[in-house]
Amino acid sequence: MLAAQVRGLTLGERGAAARQDYGAAPTRPPIVGAIRTSTDRTWVFGTTAIPVPASSTASPEVAFYAAHWAGGRWRVGLSGGRVFAALLRTVPADVIPVSEARLLRRYGAVTAAQAAALTHGRAGGGLMLPWKIGQTWAMTTSDGSTSPRPLGSLAFSGGDGRVLAAGAGRLYRFCADPAGRAMVMLIHPSGLATTYYRLRDVTRLRDGTAVGRGAVLGRTGTTVPCGGAGAPRAEIEFGLQDGTGAVPLDGAEIGGWTFRERARPLLGFAERGALQVLSGGLLANLGPVPAADGPSSPSPSPSPSSGGPPKDGAGPAGAPPAAAIEKRSPKGANSQQ
C-alpha cells in the first residue's frame, strides 16, 4: 500500500518534469525502494525514481520519500516538499539520525538561486570532476534531446574507469539491484547533490554513509538500472541536483572548468579562459581549486571503507599536460594548446 502511494505521489509531483526531460511519457511505474524502516514499521525512509524510456538518454527523475503511519493511513512526503521537511523533524533517530535529517532538510530547501550561487564561483563549491585529478577523459554533453530545457548532465569516459566522489557528502543509491548497479547520489554539506549514473561495481557502503572527496563510488558502465538508452561505451553520467530536481549546468564551475550550453540541439561545452572543449573533446580534471589559479587542492578525505586515502583517490591538483586540453572551434576543428 505504501509503495503504491509513493508511486502515485511521485507521478503527481514529478511526472510533468519527467515527461519534459525524457521527451516522452514514462512507460513504467516508479521504482520505489526502502532505505530504513522503524522497528514498529510505522516509519519508512526511502527512494523513488521514474524510469527513463528506452528512447531517451536523459537522467532519471528521482526523489527521497519519508512516510509515517498514523491514524490508519500513511502520511508521505517527497524531498523538496513541506510534508517531507515536517516528517524529518519528528522521524525517530533510529530511522534517520539527527545530523542526517538536518542534511536532508537542507537538501530539500535549496532553491534554484542558491544552487546557482553554490556552483557559479571560482572553486565551484569545492567540487572536482568525478575521476582522478590529472587524468584526462572524453566528454559528451549532448543528451540527444531537441528540447530547449537546460543542460542537466554530462557524460565522461576514459581514464582508468574509476568514478570518484566529486566532494565530501552522504551516499545514497537509487534503483539498486543485486548485481551492484545503481544511480548514486552524494548530498554535500551545502545541501547541493551530485549524481552518478551508469555505474557498475557500485560501492557496498550503506546508504547514508559519509564519504570524502575522492572516495571510489564504482566504475564506468553502460547499464541503466533506472531505464534509458544504452551507451555505446562505458561512461559516467554526472549531474547536479537539489531537492526538487536537476540543477542546470550552464555556468557551473567544476574541476577547474566552466560549463556552458547551446540549445537547439542541446549541446554543452567546457571553457577555461580562452580554451574551449566541445562534445567529444578531452577534459583534464584540475581538482576542486585549480593549481594555476590558487593554492594547491587538499588531498581527498579518506573513504570510510579504508583506513586511509582511497587508492584511486585524487592527488594534488596539478596542471595537466599540454596535450590534455584542446581548443576547438565551433565547427569542430581543433588545435592543441
Side-chain angles (χ1 to χ4, degrees):
M1 183 170 62
L2 174 59
Q5 190 171 335
V6 172
R7 290 188 185 102
L9 186 63
T10 302
L11 291 174
E13 293 191 7
R14 303 296 182 93
R19 284 192 297 272
Q20 180 178 346
D21 290 353
Y22 300 171
T27 56
R28 291 188 290 150
I31 301 170
V32 177
I35 295 175
R36 300 184 205 111
T37 302
S38 63
T39 53
D40 63 2
R41 304 184 67 81
T42 61
W43 284 90
V44 182
F45 168 55
T47 61
T48 178
I50 301 178
V52 185
S55 60
S56 174
T57 56
S59 295
E61 184 74 27
V62 300
F64 295 99
Y65 71 87
H68 182 213
W69 176 263
R73 66 184 184 90
W74 285 105
R75 185 187 185 201
V76 185
L78 297 187
S79 50
R82 288 181 294 179
V83 175
F84 182 79
L87 289 170
L88 289 182
R89 293 189 180 92
T90 57
V91 65
D94 63 334
V95 178
I96 307 179
V98 174
S99 60
E100 185 179 356
R102 187 182 303 118
L103 180 65
L104 287 165
R105 287 200 305 271
R106 189 177 303 139
Y107 165 73
V110 172
T111 65
Q114 290 170 334
L118 289 168
T119 57
H120 292 48
R122 185 175 64 86
L127 298 177
M128 70 177 195
L129 289 166
W131 64 86
K132 188 175 181 181
I133 290 176
Q135 284 190 356
T136 301
W137 287 28
M139 174 182 67
T140 304
T141 61
S142 172
D143 67 358
S145 172
T146 57
S147 152
R149 69 180 181 86
L151 180 72
S153 65
L154 303 161
F156 302 104
S157 61
D160 57 14
R162 284 168 283 210
V163 178
L164 310 183
R170 288 187 182 268
L171 177 149
Y172 300 91
R173 299 173 184 82
F174 294 79
C175 312
D177 65 20
R181 300 170 297 190
M183 174 179 174
V184 167
M185 177 186 291
L186 293 182
I187 303 180
H188 304 289
S190 64
L192 189 72
T194 48
T195 58
Y196 311 76
Y197 194 40
R198 302 185 187 276
L199 282 177
R200 61 184 175 90
D201 299 336
V202 173
T203 175
R204 298 293 182 178
L205 293 174
R206 294 179 59 187
D207 287 88
T209 297
V211 301
R213 182 194 302 133
V216 181
L217 305 179
R219 300 183 66 88
T220 54
T222 59
T223 58
V224 284
C226 296
R233 65 187 67 80
E235 64 183 28
I236 178 65
E237 192 172 300
F238 177 76
L240 302 175
Q241 187 99 3
D242 62 24
T244 60
V247 173
L249 287 166
D250 187 34
E253 299 190 12
I254 305 169
W257 296 88
T258 301
F259 293 91
R260 303 291 185 189
E261 70 174 50
R262 182 180 66 198
R264 298 185 185 278
L266 186 63
L267 182 69
F269 60 96
E271 61 183 18
R272 177 174 166 82
L275 301 176
Q276 285 191 346
V277 179
L278 300 186
S279 182
L282 300 176
L283 204 62
N285 183 11
L286 305 178
V289 181
D293 296 340
S296 297
S297 301
S299 298
S301 304
S303 165
S305 61
S306 64
K311 294 179 181 179
D312 309 305
I325 302 177
E326 298 182 33
K327 181 178 181 181
R328 297 198 168 201
S329 71
K331 294 183 179 180
N334 69 84
S335 59
Q336 292 184 342
Q337 301 301 302

